[in-house]
Amino acid sequence: MSDSVNHHRTFEVLTAEPVRSRRKPRHWSDEQKAQLVAEALSPGANVSAIARSQGLDPSQLYAWRRKALSSGSLRH
C-alpha cells in the first residue's frame, strides 16, 4: 500500500450566500415617480442612494429622470 493512504487529509467546506431573487415588479404612481425625479434633480443629489433607499434599481430612476428631462416637463 502507498504511504499516502495513511496520511491525514484535510478539506475545506465552502459556503455561499443564496443568490438574491429578482424583485417583484412594483407599480409606481406618476406622483411617486415625479417626487423621486424631483429629489434626484436637486443639487448634490445622489441618484443611486435615493433609488436604493426606496428599493428601486438606480437605472430605473435614471431612466425616469432622463424621460422627464427630455419631455420638457422638468427643468434641470
Side-chain angles (χ1 to χ4, degrees):
M1 275 203 180
S2 170
D3 285 336
S4 65
V5 172
N6 295 324
H7 291 274
H8 291 291
R9 296 181 184 216
T10 59
F11 62 95
E12 199 174 331
V13 176
L14 302 176
T15 59
E17 294 291 322
V19 176
R20 187 171 61 169
S21 62
R22 288 182 58 111
R23 295 181 183 144
K24 292 181 182 178
R26 180 173 169 184
H27 176 74
W28 295 88
S29 70
D30 290 341
E31 293 79 21
Q32 290 171 314
K33 289 179 187 179
Q35 179 187 6
L36 289 169
V37 167
E39 188 176 344
L41 289 171
S42 65
N46 181 328
V47 178
S48 293
I50 294 167
R52 289 189 184 109
S53 74
Q54 298 299 315
L56 179 65
D57 192 272
S59 65
Q60 184 64 65
L61 183 52
Y62 278 109
W64 291 344
R65 187 178 73 162
R66 201 169 34 254
K67 184 177 178 182
L69 288 169
S70 68
S71 73
S73 62
L74 294 174
R75 293 185 180 197
H76 186 83

